[in-house]
Amino acid sequence: MTVDLFAGIPVSDYQHARTWYEQLLGSAPTFVPNDTEAVWELAEHRYLYIEELPERAGHALQTVFVDDLDQRVEGIASRGIQPASRETYENGVRKVIYRDPDGNEVGFGGAPLE
């Protein structure tokens, strides 16, 4: 079975948010379906998208689990974005949280350090 995932994030200002997400994700969108949406393919069949929906902006919670957490956080920092917070759970799983200009949360999770 193939599953495609589109995880959406409502934003108040499309252009401002698009620039921020390009910095966070390190690339231009994979495709732009219209003037108020941009889509990034994070992995095969797994997409993160922003859409200008001012009345809903600021309430999204997304976590992307990656196998290169430390390198990803370094890359994001090199593009000018710092984490809002970091968490380590009792089992050692780590999460680094970023907040976009509207306050939407995008977290990157990683396995425990060995």
Side-chain angles (χ1 to χ4, degrees), residues 11 13-15 18 32-38 50-52:
V11 298
D13 180 326
Y14 170 76
Q15 289 299 331
R18 179 174 165 172
V32 178
N34 58 55
D35 291 342
T36 62
E37 288 182 83
I50 61 169
E51 183 174 2
E52 188 171 305

Side-chain angles (χ1 to χ4, degrees), residues 21-100:
Y21 279 92
E22 287 176 350
Q23 286 180 274
L24 180 73
L25 300 172
S27 69
T30 305
F31 63 95
V32 178
N34 58 55
D35 291 342
T36 62
E37 288 182 83
V39 182
W40 287 263
E41 186 173 24
L42 303 180
E44 187 175 13
H45 303 289
R46 293 163 188 89
Y47 302 88
L48 182 71
Y49 72 96
I50 61 169
E51 183 174 2
E52 188 171 305
L53 297 167
E55 67 282 358
R56 294 178 63 188
H59 301 287
L61 298 168
Q62 310 290 342
T63 300
V64 180
F65 205 84
V66 297
D67 61 2
D68 64 345
L69 181 61
D70 295 325
Q71 294 86 354
R72 189 168 302 259
V73 170
E74 287 175 18
I76 294 168
S78 75
R79 296 187 294 274
I81 299 178
Q82 296 299 318
S85 63
R86 297 171 186 256
E87 301 173 355
T88 301
Y89 301 102
E90 287 183 22
N91 63 0
V93 170
R94 300 167 296 140
K95 182 178 179 184
V96 180
I97 298 169
Y98 297 89
R99 296 205 183 277
D100 76 6

